[in-house]
Amino acid sequence: MKMKQKFRDFFSVTCVSFTIIMLIYTALSDWMNADLTRGSIFSLFAVCAIAGAVIFVTDFIPVGSLLLRLGIDFIDVALTVFIFGGVILKLFSFNSKTILVVTGMLMAAFVGAAALSILSDRLSSQAINQKIAEMKKHR
Amino acid sequence: MKTMKLIIEQSEEYSEPEITVKCGMMDERLESIINHIRLNMFSVAGVKDGVTKVLPLSEIFYFDSTDERTFVYLENEVYECAMKLYELEEQIARANFVRISKSCIVNIMKLDSVRPLLNSRYEARLENGEKLIISRHYLPDFKRKFGI
């Protein structure tokens, strides 16, 4: 895939995952005793951006299987969230409750980013089919 | 829609036909005409059952490479071609053909529709009902061919 397209995917993934994470984090902040401060918002964005960047890099590994590709992407996100977000930025503590909630959050963000990709592909295919129909008309 | 002049000069002075297009701005209609001319200018020699036949690009649905051999697919026939896929790609890239995977170059004029699959791959359905996979690596080039 061309570099420009890959960068576009990286920004889309980062923005969509950040939005989803922010919504869930805000909704659960009281229950999780997590403060929503300026610092935590920037930290969450950094986690999303780094996860997007890791996916961007590992995307260069040629993988034929769809399941393996999704698995690699999910591991990218999980490792970034737990190592960068948990260990380095200390955004959450490592207990069973938070690990469960964080895993749920990252799964939601992952599904959201995948849904965006599917939607984008569907729109592109509609545009291509329209062009094909126009080409046939001109023949 | 702008009017278009068609001037045909026929004379025994000319040894080979020559097409010159004079235009200000290139519009979609003119581009379509030029693409049709390109399609008919180039042909590929295909071999089937020991018989060599000249195959005009306009009849070719797609080229496929398997085990270092290149095959030319028409609506209902398959020929073998001596050229490599990369050589063909260089020659016909401007004539409505586009690479869609490591082993396949398709004629976009023979496409019926496309539909997205998972993992940013597309399935292309051809006019003869055949289905080809557009790999994620070649998708940007494919989209560009349609101005997307």
Side-chain angles (χ1 to χ4, degrees):
Chain A
M1 204 185 277
K2 297 287 179 286
M3 201 56 92
K4 198 175 146 192
Q5 173 79 27
K6 277 186 176 284
F7 270 118
R8 209 185 66 180
D9 290 350
F10 160 68
F11 282 115
S12 306
V13 166
T14 302
C15 293
V16 170
S17 56
F18 177 66
T19 306
I20 294 169
I21 294 284
M22 274 307 296
L23 288 171
I24 301 172
Y25 196 84
T26 308
L28 301 180
S29 57
D30 282 347
W31 181 66
M32 287 171 65
N33 288 327
D35 288 334
L36 200 61
T37 61
R38 192 183 298 174
S40 64
I41 291 170
F42 279 121
S43 298
L44 283 172
F45 183 76
V47 171
C48 293
I50 289 174
V54 175
I55 289 175
F56 174 80
V57 172
T58 54
D59 218 28
F60 284 99
I61 303 168
V63 175
S65 153
L66 169 66
L67 280 177
L68 191 57
R69 168 60 60 201
L70 288 173
I72 291 172
D73 288 351
F74 190 76
I75 289 166
D76 288 344
V77 176
L79 287 177
T80 308
V81 168
F82 286 109
I83 295 173
F84 186 70
V87 178
I88 299 171
L89 293 178
K90 299 192 184 341
L91 274 170
F92 53 86
S93 51
F94 283 89
N95 59 55
S96 53
K97 180 182 156 190
T98 45
I99 288 173
L100 204 69
V101 172
V102 169
T103 306
M105 282 167 79
L106 72 90
M107 279 175 83
F110 190 77
V111 169
L116 176 83
S117 163
I118 290 167
L119 183 70
S120 160
D121 283 345
R122 196 159 284 184
L123 291 174
S124 292
S125 72
Q126 281 172 2
I128 292 169
N129 285 332
Q130 204 175 332
K131 293 266 179 186
I132 291 171
E134 282 169 21
M135 274 169 17
K136 286 186 191 293
K137 222 189 287 175
H138 280 117
R139 264 201 269 177
Chain B
M1 193 182 279
K2 284 182 185 172
T3 55
M4 201 184 291
K5 282 184 195 168
L6 177 64
I7 301 166
I8 301 168
E9 291 179 29
Q10 198 174 5
S11 165
E12 283 180 9
E13 282 175 37
Y14 305 121
S15 56
E16 61 176 355
E18 182 184 311
I19 299 167
T20 306
V21 177
K22 293 179 185 174
C23 63
M25 289 283 282
M26 182 80 77
D27 62 8
E28 214 170 288
R29 190 170 53 131
L30 189 55
E31 212 173 320
S32 164
I33 292 168
I34 292 168
N35 282 333
H36 271 91
I37 295 168
R38 282 203 182 106
L39 267 178
N40 287 287
M41 276 170 70
F42 189 80
S43 52
V44 174
V47 182
K48 187 183 173 188
D49 302 327
V51 179
T52 303
K53 192 177 166 189
V54 176
L55 310 166
L57 284 187
S58 53
E59 285 180 23
I60 296 169
F61 276 57
Y62 64 98
F63 296 94
D64 188 71
S65 169
T66 313
D67 298 330
E68 311 240 326
R69 292 164 73 189
T70 307
F71 297 95
V72 188
Y73 287 78
L74 309 190
E75 188 169 10
N76 297 310
E77 291 173 291
V78 184
Y79 289 82
E80 190 168 351
C81 166
M83 290 174 85
K84 299 280 178 206
L85 216 56
Y86 72 89
E87 293 171 324
L88 284 164
E89 195 181 11
E90 282 171 15
Q91 301 257 14
I92 60 176
R94 296 189 66 194
N96 284 333
F97 278 77
V98 65
R99 185 90 166 232
I100 57 165
S101 67
K102 216 172 164 184
S103 65
C104 186
I105 297 173
V106 73
N107 181 355
I108 61 168
M109 300 303 285
K110 300 293 184 191
L111 287 176
D112 188 51
S113 61
V114 294
R115 75 178 181 97
L117 301 172
L118 289 172
N119 201 18
S120 295
R121 292 185 313 157
Y122 280 43
E123 182 187 79
R125 192 185 157 91
L126 305 183
E127 284 174 355
N128 62 353
E130 271 193 79
K131 289 173 184 170
L132 301 171
I133 297 294
I134 306 165
S135 82
R136 139 196 188 103
H137 181 80
Y138 293 95
L139 196 55
D141 288 337
F142 181 77
K143 285 182 181 175
R144 208 169 298 126
K145 204 77 180 174
F146 291 93
I148 293 164

